[in-house]
Amino acid sequence: KQWYQRRVAITAGVIKEGTNAAAGVSKTDLMKRKLALEAKKKKLKNVNVFVSIDRLCVRNMPAKFTDNELKKLMSKYGNVVQVKIIRDITQANSEGIGKSKGYGFVQFSKHEAA
């Protein structure tokens, strides 16, 4: 099971140059994706790294995106158990909410939704 989880974590969302999925994707974006894949492979060689088959990392989110907006958006794909936008607490607003770092996590109740 752990092997399968690591394989899914490595290959999920991969877009390779020259494939149909890469049509219309810029060379810069393809290079970023390739570097991210290499970093992921290196990280996953560490047996202490936890891999979840029902949690996604969502990147490039708008700075003012809220947890509720992320949950509403992702609920279209399945039952969302938890969302967490990573924030910089050193740049908190008057309500004490830190500025979004542009990424977060969404956990679904089923792997198929993720």
Side-chain angles (χ1 to χ4, degrees):
K1 182 177 177 181
Q2 189 176 30
W3 174 85
Y4 173 75
Q5 289 176 332
R6 288 181 181 277
R7 182 170 174 257
V8 168
I10 290 173
T11 59
V14 172
I15 297 177
K16 293 185 179 180
E17 191 171 7
T19 63
N20 289 340
V25 179
S26 72
K27 294 265 187 198
T28 303
D29 191 35
L30 286 171
M31 181 55 72
K32 287 180 183 178
R33 288 172 183 271
K34 182 179 178 182
L35 292 173
L37 177 61
E38 289 170 7
K40 192 187 303 184
K41 284 180 180 179
K42 184 177 177 182
K43 184 185 286 186
L44 290 176
K45 287 182 181 179
N46 181 346
V47 295
N48 296 316
V49 172
F50 176 73
V51 177
S52 174
I53 61 171
D54 58 8
R55 184 175 37 199
L56 296 177
C57 178
V58 181
R59 301 180 191 180
N60 300 320
M61 289 190 298
K64 296 188 180 197
F65 219 48
T66 67
D67 286 9
N68 286 338
E69 288 171 320
L70 180 58
K71 185 172 185 174
K72 182 178 178 183
L73 176 69
M74 300 308 277
S75 291
K76 291 188 262 184
Y77 305 102
N79 182 40
V80 174
V81 175
Q82 181 181 20
V83 297
K84 176 72 176 173
I85 295 175
I86 306 305
R87 300 186 177 279
D88 183 355
I89 58 171
T90 64
Q91 297 184 24
N93 62 17
S94 60
E95 297 171 356
I97 299 171
K99 181 181 175 188
S100 170
K101 289 189 173 185
Y103 72 98
F105 299 91
V106 179
Q107 182 175 359
F108 291 93
S109 61
K110 294 184 179 180
H111 165 70
E112 293 77 19

